[in-house]
Amino acid sequence: MTIITHARPNIAFIKYWGNRNEELRLPVADSLSMTLSNPSVTIEAEASDTMIIRSIEMNGEEKNLSDAQKKRFVDQFVLAKEYLRTLGAEDTLPSAVSLIVRSEIPSGIGLASSAAVFAATAKAYAEMIKQSIALTKAQESVIARLGSGSAARSIFSGFASFVARGDGIGDAWAEQIADENHWQLHDIVIAPEVEHKKVGSTEGHALASTSPHWSERVRQMPRRQKECIDAILQKDFEKLQHVTEEDCMDMHNVMMTSTPSLQYLNKETYRIVKEIENLRSAEHLEVLYTMDAGPTVHVICTEDALEKIREYAARQQGCTVFEAKIGAGADLVE
Ligand code: PMV
């Protein structure tokens, strides 16, 4: 039987950067994000004799996956089995699976697909074993995390907090702070350049602790996480803006000062950030910026600011612009 699931990326207000265990993707600190309404990634999964991972592009053509890319799916599957054993549900998953990944995420918009991909595979695995064990969303989130830390958050709709708890395989998962109807926020994604990331986040996490700013970041994270949760629950945009921009710049400071140094932002990123700051003060707009491991600026705004931000984004020559709003969690495709 083929199971079809889909999930979407998320954008973090409080960033996940640094693991206490790289293999298990156990984060050092908590993080918080908003799941986006689009683009989505669909997974078709079925039991198989050997692991088969295929990726089909939007135009229907098959994309060549590297061995490292395939290994990431295999690793998540093997770790998922190990985790299920801790729940007393060993051998509920088949010995291997065949996966077909279809991503709607356009290349060059600087939106990583891994959060959506591994949330969708986790949902598919949960569906495969549901006659034997009904996993909770927290347990699905653990399995998503085993493929990509940030995928733990894409299991949920709306706003989700990814909580670091302990050192065991099941000791970190996300939980929902508020659903997608709580606050209509929009993400206008402005991607200044089409270039492949030099160092991916999986390798990047391992460098975080080499930065001299790392221990101070870790010290500040619980305060920021709390402020961010309060801001969301109170729909206090100004508070959300302050803490999000502070945390984003702090993460990039850690990245830039790690050994080797990771420089994800470029001149265009800084120009857009400055212009958003100017626009915000000149027009009193509820708008904030944040960047993940790349130069792409996520310009997040309220419904009231949307038109003005759309106009600004449309004027960005040479940039790819993409728009999403707050969205749904990982789910079965009916
Ligand atoms: O899930 P990963 O390992 O790709 O890490 C995501 C890291 C950031 O996007 C930079 C921050 C975040 O919280 O999403």
Side-chain angles (χ1 to χ4, degrees):
M1 198 182 77
T2 308
I3 287 161
I4 309 179
T5 58
H6 58 171
R8 297 137 203 99
N10 62 71
I11 177 64
F13 297 114
I14 303 295
K15 308 292 188 186
Y16 151 56
W17 196 247
N19 287 319
R20 64 170 81 194
N21 179 319
E22 304 299 340
E23 190 210 351
L24 297 181
R25 299 177 187 274
L26 288 164
V28 167
D30 297 359
S31 58
L32 202 149
S33 66
M34 165 171 109
T35 301
L36 301 180
S37 55
N38 54 290
S40 102
V41 170
T42 304
I43 298 281
E44 289 177 34
E46 59 186 18
S48 169
D49 293 337
T50 55
M51 288 297 288
I52 301 169
I53 325 288
R54 297 173 60 203
S55 171
I56 310 287
E57 307 223 32
M58 271 196 290
N59 62 10
E61 274 176 31
E62 181 147 4
K63 184 173 148 192
N64 261 334
L65 293 177
S66 66
D67 288 346
Q69 285 170 318
K70 287 185 189 166
K71 183 176 179 295
R72 194 148 168 199
F73 288 89
V74 176
D75 287 349
Q76 183 199 26
F77 185 71
V78 170
L79 289 170
K81 290 185 138 211
E82 198 175 314
Y83 169 59
L84 288 171
R85 199 170 310 128
T86 69
L87 303 179
E90 52 256 77
D91 300 331
T92 47
L93 277 175
S95 58
V97 283
S98 153
L99 301 172
I100 300 178
V101 183
R102 292 176 203 273
S103 173
E104 279 176 9
I105 304 181
S107 60
I109 61 163
L111 253 183
S113 63
S114 63
V117 167
F118 293 107
T121 52
K123 187 77 199 171
Y125 299 152
E127 195 58 29
M128 276 185 168
I129 64 173
K130 72 170 183 207
Q131 307 298 352
S132 314
I133 178 171
L135 296 185
T136 62
K137 278 196 178 280
Q139 290 166 335
E140 289 174 8
S141 176
V142 167
I143 296 179
R145 188 203 86 222
L146 296 169
S148 182
S150 57
R153 301 183 305 233
S154 273
I155 288 292
F156 297 93
S157 68
F159 300 93
S161 153
F162 178 24
V163 184
R165 293 172 165 92
D167 295 321
I169 190 167
D171 283 347
W173 63 87
E175 53 202 22
Q176 191 179 56
I177 298 296
D179 73 18
E180 71 271 41
N181 302 313
H182 173 69
W183 199 8
Q184 282 313 306
L185 296 183
H186 297 260
D187 184 2
I188 314 299
V189 183
I190 307 180
E193 112 193 351
V194 185
E195 192 192 87
H196 218 69
K197 238 191 257 182
K198 293 167 203 100
V199 178
S201 40
T202 299
E203 296 80 54
H205 287 294
L207 303 178
S209 63
T210 65
S211 161
H213 299 296
W214 173 243
S215 54
E216 182 57 16
R217 172 166 178 76
V218 175
R219 211 175 65 79
Q220 295 290 338
M221 295 291 290
R223 180 212 21 111
R224 290 199 197 124
Q225 180 79 358
K226 186 181 177 307
E227 272 179 32
C228 193
I229 293 174
D230 290 348
I232 288 165
L233 293 178
Q234 296 157 7
K235 299 187 211 172
D236 182 338
F237 196 89
E238 206 180 326
K239 195 172 191 168
L240 182 67
Q241 176 225 310
H242 282 296
V243 74
T244 301
E245 293 176 0
E246 175 191 328
D247 189 68
C248 167
M249 286 324 207
D250 185 58
M251 175 184 73
H252 283 281
N253 190 23
V254 164
M255 289 164 158
M256 285 186 265
T257 54
S258 63
T259 310
S261 164
L262 299 174
Q263 178 63 263
Y264 290 113
L265 311 182
N266 65 21
K267 264 196 192 144
E268 280 286 273
T269 313
Y270 289 110
R271 174 187 65 81
I272 295 166
V273 160
K274 192 87 224 126
E275 289 176 3
I276 291 295
E277 283 173 348
N278 292 343
L279 198 62
R280 175 166 66 210
S281 48
E283 309 234 10
H284 306 289
L285 298 178
E286 288 186 321
V287 60
L288 64 83
Y289 58 82
T290 186
M291 290 76 71
D292 282 343
T296 294
V297 186
H298 291 258
V299 185
I300 296 174
C301 66
T302 57
E303 202 84 23
D304 287 349
L306 184 59
E307 271 318 311
K308 287 260 162 60
I309 300 304
R310 270 189 188 141
E311 284 165 19
Y312 170 78
R315 290 197 298 271
Q316 303 315 302
Q317 308 231 332
C319 294
T320 308
V321 175
F322 185 83
E323 198 178 317
K325 48 188 182 197
I326 189 162
D331 214 345
L332 272 180
V333 176
E334 297 303 335

